Amino acid sequence: MPAYLAGRFLSLAASLLAASLVIFLVLEIVPGDPARFMLGINAQPDTLAALRAQMGLDAPALTRYVTWLFGLFHGDFGISYTYKVPVAELVLDRIWISLPLALFALGLSTLIAFPAGIIAATRRNSPADVTVMGLTQLGVALPNFWFAMLLVLLFAVTLRWFSAGGFPGWDDPLLAIRALTLPAVALALPQASILSRVMRSAMLDTLSEDYVRTARAKGLSRGQTLWRHALRNALIPVLTIVGLQFSFLLAGAIIIENVFFLPGLGRLVFQAITARDLIVVKSVVMLLVAAVILVTFLVDVTYALVDPRLRRTSP
Amino acid sequence: MKKSLFMLALAGSLVLGTALTPAFAAARTDATIGLVLEPPNLDPTAGAAAAIDEVVYANVFEGLTRFAPDGSVTPALAKSWDISADGLTYTFHLNAGVKFHDGSDLTADDVKFSFDRAVAADSTNAQKALFADIKSTDVVDPLTVTLTLAKPNGNLLFNLAWGDAVIVAPESAATNATKPVGTGPFVFKDWVQGDHVSLEKNPAYWGTPVKLDKATFKFIGDPTAASAALLAGDVDAFPNFPAPEAIEQFKSNPEFRVVVGSTEGETILAINNEHITDVRVRQAIAHAIDRQAIIDGAMFGYGTPIGTHFAPHNPDYVDLTAQSAYDPDLSKKLLAEAGVTDLTLTLKLPPVEGYARRGGEIIAQELAAVGIKTTVTNVEWAQWLSEVFSDKNYDLTIVSHTEPLDIGIYARDDYYFGYHSDAFKKVIADLDNSTDPAKRSELFKAAQKQIADDYVNAFLFELAKVGVERAKLHGLWENAPTQATDLTAVYWDE
């Protein structure tokens, strides 16, 4: 086990280092000068040079890479070129919107998808199944930004139950949750549709397994079989999808963030790219990559705990 | 049962909805203004972004002089000034009792500090050229300061009205980017990056007190979201409304007022004169373009055609549109005369949905109609700045020059148009050296004619300022002589 862990750990470190190098190099070759972007078309050459020096952009690439990497190790993500505040502060502000929004959307989508998928699977080919399948087909096909606009038109413009967007901060949790409701619904609908379909087919697979027939033969009721045996085993593929959806929702909600003008992580990265605030792009992308790599690492370790065969290092 | 539960829920939410919309007996004293772009920081002396001035100009920061809503230059922190006979010494008399938001007094030392900082070798002022003629700034007494110029500059009072020339205090200059401390009628309260900046009334303001107690700037870039925010009541006004296609909807809604005004944005099809050296080819490009078709097709009818690089509302404007009127046959003739066949040009379009991207498509078609092919490339601003502006790696591009009174850019060496004219440079040099209004007016006219005669660029139209406001909100600028959202006169009626 220690050998296996050490191996996994080495590979984790190597992946992180490789990722940092790729991110740095890609951003090196992106056209556009941050200083010129900030100072505009009337800036004089000496002013541009002064600003580049102030931002540390005049140092050679290798120096800048090492400085950045060294900073990351110390938890120093640098200072945003445009906002002039520490990147860590920006990320921390945004994550308090992106994380609750992702969890809210994920919660909604599971709440819809689990019952819908189970009902569809247990009543296969019934009108309920056909309805669920039809609706989820629609849910997958609807562009979520368009659905979001419809939500705004109905609930914000016509009924005025919610505001059309923006985020008031967490000082008043009720207001904050209200602000996140429409975006979460818009995000959850397509996810719920996908998840219901996965849930349904996973349930159908397990329902035709031998152990389900055995459980029924042992005298368990239909409901008991469903809960104790079929559902548990069907959850494995479903949870994998849920995990994937979560990482997508965390950083991939840019379009929905735009429709509701929510200052989330996705919009932070997007704005930073257009403004050539490269230090923000570098550090946030690195952070997201690190999160994904870390989760993969943890999953690998969990697999090993479950399956002893993985712990033996192959000869 | 199910139905009655539903009705109960509906009734409940209606009650909740009503409770959340308080009835205003007295006039409101808060306003939320929508802006398309968020400022990168809040220090107008260290960045070019127009969004900085759109939040802080006249509200948080003030200069010695300022732009009035009609574009004229009026006294601000300086109540008056004397100009020496040779035009080289300006003596400014400051208003007494002016305090910065941190409680410290404004003195001549702060003025000296601000200008010394702007002209310093390590200055990061985006408009350092505004101060180029200032030789020294000297404190006479706490309320008197003199500027000594290296040569006369007829634009000095105008230059000092820019947002880049506001007066800052040495104690707060370094942190103005995130915590602006000025002398204006509003005090900075907080900034939730990505969402809003809020300001509060400055109780210790030296001038006329403002009527609003609280002002919030909300940043909404998406045109659909902007419409929704106005309709839902989240935002009270959008001084520069980003969705011209939705204007008709607001015009017919009595709760709103649509205000169409002028800006300082000359929108041009810039031509790389170093690539297209034959004036006949540039003239052919100019005659191939139907300005009205672009205004109608790309701008939903908002914009005023221009025939030179000057704002039509300026008293010195000369209408030269006839000189480059839409005439495709003339274009073809000129191209034939120049012996040009099979011309293919690159057209690089910055990320502006209206004039650049939609206008670019129309222009590409119009050029194709006279036999000029174009390769259209969409670029981001950062790319535009490096490829087009710095490296001159382009043939044609569409851009709006939004600085006020900026015809002088045609005299700059190495500017991205690649235009070199000694005659034009002479006009601009004379302009800089003269303070006589009649003479200056004549020179401005001469400058406009010169660039039109040389067909430097194809001049398209002056950008319009289309604002949407709540009908009961008053006092926002109708025109935009500079990019600012001056809230000093804003109030609600009722």
Side-chain angles (χ1 to χ4, degrees), chain A residues 36-44 46-47 54 82-83 85 94 152 160 163-164 166-167 178 259 261 263 267 276, chain B residues 20 38 40-41 47-48 123-129 178 193-195 220 225 228 231 234 380-382 389-390 412:
Chain A
R36 173 61 89 182
F37 188 87
M38 287 173 68
L39 292 177
I41 57 176
N42 283 340
Q44 298 178 341
D46 60 333
T47 321
Q54 196 188 311
T82 47
Y83 285 129
V85 295
R94 304 296 173 109
V152 170
R160 299 226 175 169
S163 58
F167 190 71
R178 226 169 82 127
V259 174
F261 43 103
R267 222 175 70 166
R276 291 296 184 272
Chain B
L20 287 166
E38 176 174 30
N41 64 71
S123 157
T124 52
N125 194 301
Q127 310 287 349
K128 202 176 169 185
T178 49
Q193 265 105 1
D195 194 58
I220 304 174
L231 288 169
D234 294 340
E380 294 171 89
W381 275 123
F389 189 80
S390 301
R412 284 195 199 162

Side-chain angles (χ1 to χ4, degrees), chain A residues 9 17 63 70 84 94 99 105 138 141 150 157-158 168 182 194 206 240 247 252 290 297:
Chain A
F9 195 76
L17 197 69
T63 320
F70 200 71
K84 309 238 163 104
R94 304 296 173 109
L99 197 64
L138 197 69
L150 291 187
V157 175
T158 311
L182 289 186
I194 297 168
T206 48
T240 316
S247 48
F297 169 75

Side-chain angles (χ1 to χ4, degrees), chain A residues 30-44 46-52 54 80-85 89-90 93-94 97 149 152-153 155-169 171 175 178 255 257-264 267-268 270-271 273-276, chain B residues 9-10 13-14 16-17 20-21 38-41 46-49 120-130 132 162 177-178 191-196 218-222 224-235 255 380-387 389-390 401 403 409 412 415-416 470:
Chain A
V30 168
D33 170 10
R36 173 61 89 182
F37 188 87
M38 287 173 68
L39 292 177
I41 57 176
N42 283 340
Q44 298 178 341
D46 60 333
T47 321
L48 288 170
L51 184 62
R52 278 192 207 110
Q54 196 188 311
S80 157
Y81 296 157
T82 47
Y83 285 129
K84 309 238 163 104
V85 295
E89 222 173 85
L90 281 175
D93 280 352
R94 304 296 173 109
I97 294 167
M149 286 179 198
V152 170
L153 270 181
F155 293 104
V157 175
T158 311
L159 297 173
R160 299 226 175 169
W161 291 359
F162 297 95
S163 58
F167 190 71
D171 299 337
L175 272 183
R178 226 169 82 127
I255 294 174
E257 285 173 8
N258 261 332
V259 174
F260 292 98
F261 43 103
L262 285 174
R267 222 175 70 166
L268 175 68
F270 180 72
Q271 283 176 335
I273 291 171
T274 44
R276 291 296 184 272
Chain B
L10 191 70
S13 10
L14 282 176
L16 192 72
L20 287 166
T21 324
E38 176 174 30
N41 64 71
D122 63 349
S123 157
T124 52
N125 194 301
Q127 310 287 349
K128 202 176 169 185
L130 294 176
W162 283 52
T178 49
W191 179 10
V192 176
Q193 265 105 1
D195 194 58
H196 71 266
K218 228 168 168 31
F219 311 113
I220 304 174
D222 185 74
T224 320
S227 294
L230 274 169
L231 288 169
D234 294 340
V235 165
E255 280 188 56
E380 294 171 89
W381 275 123
Q383 259 175 301
W384 187 89
L385 285 166
S386 70
E387 289 176 18
F389 189 80
S390 301
H401 280 261
E403 281 79 14
I409 55 178
R412 284 195 199 162
Y415 206 60
Y416 78 106
R470 288 241 148 223

Side-chain angles (χ1 to χ4, degrees), chain A residues 220-275:
Chain A
L220 283 183
S221 75
R222 208 179 130 80
Q224 284 169 320
T225 321
L226 205 66
W227 281 113
R228 287 202 200 151
H229 298 278
L231 184 60
R232 275 194 195 183
N233 285 292
L235 274 184
I236 296 165
V238 172
L239 287 180
T240 316
I241 300 287
V242 170
L244 284 174
Q245 288 189 344
F246 183 69
S247 48
F248 164 78
L249 287 172
L250 194 58
I254 301 181
I255 294 174
I256 291 297
E257 285 173 8
N258 261 332
V259 174
F260 292 98
F261 43 103
L262 285 174
L265 265 187
R267 222 175 70 166
L268 175 68
V269 178
F270 180 72
Q271 283 176 335
I273 291 171
T274 44

Side-chain angles (χ1 to χ4, degrees), chain B residues 194-475:
Chain B
D195 194 58
H196 71 266
V197 166
S198 51
L199 309 178
E200 272 179 345
K201 185 179 186 166
N202 174 6
Y205 185 54
W206 60 274
T208 320
V210 288
K211 294 174 183 119
L212 294 177
D213 290 332
K214 189 168 183 276
T216 307
F217 288 98
K218 228 168 168 31
F219 311 113
I220 304 174
D222 185 74
T224 320
S227 294
L230 274 169
L231 288 169
D234 294 340
V235 165
D236 301 314
F238 248 101
N240 288 294
F241 190 61
E245 62 277 12
I247 287 293
E248 287 307 316
Q249 181 193 352
F250 286 101
K251 272 189 177 164
S252 59
N253 186 335
E255 280 188 56
F256 295 95
R257 176 175 352 106
V258 174
V259 182
V260 181
S262 61
T263 71
E264 297 295 321
E266 290 83 31
T267 310
I268 57 173
L269 172 69
I271 303 174
N272 189 339
N273 285 228
E274 283 169 14
H275 290 185
I276 304 162
T277 48
D278 191 332
V279 66
R280 287 170 300 185
V281 180
R282 298 200 299 268
Q283 192 181 349
I285 293 172
H287 282 297
I289 291 165
D290 182 356
R291 296 186 180 96
Q292 200 56 47
I294 298 165
I295 294 172
D296 291 341
M299 308 304 294
F300 294 84
Y302 298 104
T304 313
I306 50 171
T308 183
H309 198 104
F310 220 71
H313 53 85
N314 189 303
D316 296 330
Y317 174 73
V318 191
D319 186 353
L320 297 166
T321 45
Q323 198 174 326
S324 47
Y326 177 50
D327 190 348
D329 293 329
L330 181 59
S331 285
K332 286 181 199 154
K333 212 178 105 205
L334 284 163
L335 287 173
E337 263 175 41
V340 172
T341 50
D342 203 24
L343 182 62
T344 304
L345 300 174
T346 59
L347 172 58
K348 294 198 173 171
L349 303 176
V352 181
E353 195 45 43
Y355 69 75
R357 296 281 164 87
R358 282 197 295 261
E361 280 174 36
I362 300 170
I363 284 179
Q365 279 173 21
E366 289 177 347
L367 290 177
V370 300
I372 300 172
K373 289 192 216 73
T374 45
T375 318
V376 180
T377 323
N378 288 345
V379 293
E380 294 171 89
W381 275 123
Q383 259 175 301
W384 187 89
L385 285 166
S386 70
E387 289 176 18
V388 176
F389 189 80
S390 301
D391 300 342
K392 292 188 222 167
N393 176 20
Y394 81 105
D395 297 324
L396 304 171
T397 185
I398 305 175
V399 77
S400 199
H401 280 261
T402 52
E403 281 79 14
L405 219 56
D406 58 354
I407 196 167
I409 55 178
Y410 288 77
R412 284 195 199 162
D413 290 318
D414 219 30
Y415 206 60
Y416 78 106
F417 309 145
Y419 171 62
H420 309 283
S421 161
D422 291 332
F424 185 81
K425 278 189 188 171
K426 169 97 177 44
V427 175
I428 295 298
D430 288 348
L431 201 54
D432 284 345
N433 293 329
S434 80
T435 45
D436 173 39
K439 179 91 196 298
R440 286 176 63 81
S441 167
E442 220 171 88
L443 288 165
F444 271 130
K445 288 174 181 161
Q448 295 175 54
K449 285 182 189 131
Q450 181 75 53
I451 52 171
D453 288 345
D454 288 340
Y455 291 93
V456 182
N457 295 316
F459 307 101
L460 304 175
F461 58 89
E462 193 76 8
L463 221 51
K465 174 179 178 304
V466 183
V468 179
E469 306 162 359
R470 288 241 148 223
K472 285 177 180 155
L473 186 74
H474 303 275

Side-chain angles (χ1 to χ4, degrees), chain A residues 11-264:
Chain A
S11 123
L12 166 82
S15 318
L16 283 175
L17 197 69
S20 74
L21 195 63
V22 170
I23 292 167
F24 185 84
L25 288 178
V26 166
L27 292 184
E28 275 299 297
I29 53 171
V30 168
D33 170 10
R36 173 61 89 182
F37 188 87
M38 287 173 68
L39 292 177
I41 57 176
N42 283 340
Q44 298 178 341
D46 60 333
T47 321
L48 288 170
L51 184 62
R52 278 192 207 110
Q54 196 188 311
M55 298 194 297
L57 285 172
D58 51 349
L62 188 67
T63 320
R64 280 181 291 125
Y65 176 63
V66 173
T67 319
W68 175 57
L69 210 58
F70 200 71
L72 286 181
F73 270 114
H74 292 246
D76 172 10
F77 295 94
I79 308 269
S80 157
Y81 296 157
T82 47
Y83 285 129
K84 309 238 163 104
V85 295
V87 177
E89 222 173 85
L90 281 175
V91 172
L92 219 61
D93 280 352
R94 304 296 173 109
I95 212 140
W96 279 108
I97 294 167
S98 287
L99 197 64
L101 179 62
L103 288 171
F104 195 171
L106 203 66
L108 278 180
S109 89
T110 4
L111 272 180
I112 301 168
F114 277 35
I118 293 168
I119 290 168
T122 48
R123 307 200 182 144
R124 195 176 177 184
N125 295 332
S126 72
D129 182 21
V130 174
T131 314
V132 168
M133 284 298 98
L135 284 178
T136 54
Q137 188 68 55
L138 197 69
V140 174
L142 273 186
N144 63 359
F145 68 90
W146 184 74
F147 179 62
M149 286 179 198
L150 291 187
L151 286 176
V152 170
L153 270 181
L154 180 61
F155 293 104
V157 175
T158 311
L159 297 173
R160 299 226 175 169
W161 291 359
F162 297 95
S163 58
F167 190 71
W170 281 102
D171 299 337
D172 184 346
L174 265 178
L175 272 183
I177 288 171
R178 226 169 82 127
L180 292 182
T181 305
L182 289 186
V185 170
L187 278 173
L189 182 88
Q191 307 295 344
S193 304
I194 297 168
L195 210 57
S196 325
R197 296 179 84 88
V198 174
M199 185 80 218
R200 176 181 177 270
S201 56
M203 276 299 272
L204 285 176
D205 281 350
T206 48
L207 281 175
S208 60
E209 290 283 346
D210 289 347
Y211 58 76
V212 172
R213 199 183 45 208
T214 312
R216 284 286 276 158
K218 268 187 356 192
L220 283 183
S221 75
R222 208 179 130 80
Q224 284 169 320
T225 321
L226 205 66
W227 281 113
R228 287 202 200 151
H229 298 278
L231 184 60
R232 275 194 195 183
N233 285 292
L235 274 184
I236 296 165
V238 172
L239 287 180
T240 316
I241 300 287
V242 170
L244 284 174
Q245 288 189 344
F246 183 69
S247 48
F248 164 78
L249 287 172
L250 194 58
I254 301 181
I255 294 174
I256 291 297
E257 285 173 8
N258 261 332
V259 174
F260 292 98
F261 43 103
L262 285 174

